[in-house]
Amino acid sequence: MQEFKPKIVAFYCSNCASSAAEISNKLGLFLPENIKLINVPCTGRIEILHLLKAFENGADMVYVVGCQEDSCQYINGILKLKKRVAHVKNMLEQMGIEPQRLEVFSLYAGKGQDFVNIANEMLNRAKQLGPIY
Amino acid sequence: MIVAEAKPIKEILEMIEGFNKILVVGCKGCVTVCNVGGAKEVAILASAIRIAEKKKGKEVEVGEITLERQCDPEYIEELKDIIQDYEAVVSLACGVGPQFISERYPEARVFPAVNTKFMGGAVEHGVWAERCAGCGQCVIHYFGGMCPIARCSKSLMNGPCGGSNHGKCEVSPEIDCIWDKIVRKMMAQGRLDELLKIRPPKSWLTARDGGPRKMVREELAK
């Protein structure tokens, strides 16, 4: 039996999350290979459709990494995104899909280790949940 | 504009159960403005249907189209070359849209994806409030530019009632007492004496209560 290799899409912002990613690189920490990274100027740019399209195209997990709520450089981008994620989680549940397949994280710019920890947490969760289809 | 609310996705999926070719039709009119039925929402619903059906192990074909409006026949006509390719049509327009599609294409199975709520406008971003009940005899000029038919829970023509409570309606503390607002505005405009004139009971003949309505413009009709 083939080992399940989850497909994971991760959106991350150009500010805090991007800084954290750079620091993780400098620390020699790397993301699991299953993760497809998508950079956005701010997590507030991510629309409901972007999240759904990732699942439609076969992603087993989708997560977003952005700034802390009080340090978003576009003021409330992360707050808007969190509301959209809550909306999509509600939709997923009605569609018979586990809402835990979608998640949003806020982290500080210097948290390189957390950037990688989040990815590993999502990978473990995906393995537990199994393939989406 | 007409304000509508999206039906829960679960309800829509139950409606289209068993169909394999579904056309999702949006409207660039009112439902686009209230973020419920425009091109973006068509894409969202189409994607959600594909995901939900794929989860059940089904591959469905979901078409997407957004018409200029679904309340004018010339736009409904734009579906004529494609509608026969689909087994079900899901309309995101207000109640008019799915009915116009149904009338023009009687063989089509048409489903509504939104619940039409009221005529109103945006009071802040993402919040719409009722302003007009379509009573057919507009009298807002008697009431400082505000409508007691739509905005008073009892549609009083001579308010306020005894339930007005610190500017709120007895029905719910979230509802403003429009008569409180009317009186204060008329006072501010120095027109309070006009409210002493007793308005006769409203004739509901021109409203929905008088039966389904039609408006004919003789100078425009053929």
Side-chain angles (χ1 to χ4, degrees), chain B residues 204-213:
Chain B
W204 296 102
L205 275 174
T206 54
R208 177 64 187 80
D209 310 73
R213 296 167 283 181

Side-chain angles (χ1 to χ4, degrees), chain B residues 152-202:
Chain B
C152 170
S153 297
K154 298 178 186 174
S155 298
L156 292 174
M157 290 287 277
N158 302 282
C161 73
S164 181
N165 184 14
H166 295 288
K168 296 295 179 185
C169 176
E170 62 181 345
V171 167
S172 163
E174 290 179 22
I175 301 174
D176 289 333
C177 171
I178 195 59
W179 272 101
D180 183 283
K181 288 188 183 299
I182 290 170
V183 169
R184 289 180 195 281
K185 185 153 184 203
M186 296 296 264
M187 280 168 65
Q189 291 185 345
R191 295 167 55 200
L192 190 60
D193 55 310
E194 291 179 32
L195 290 180
L196 293 172
K197 184 182 165 81
I198 302 293
R199 302 289 170 193
K202 180 156 180 64

Side-chain angles (χ1 to χ4, degrees), chain B residues 7 27 33 58 72-73 92 101 126 144 153 162 170 186 198:
Chain B
K7 281 187 179 288
C27 172
V33 181
K58 274 178 69 182
D72 269 309
L92 281 90
I101 294 176
S153 297
E170 62 181 345
M186 296 296 264
I198 302 293

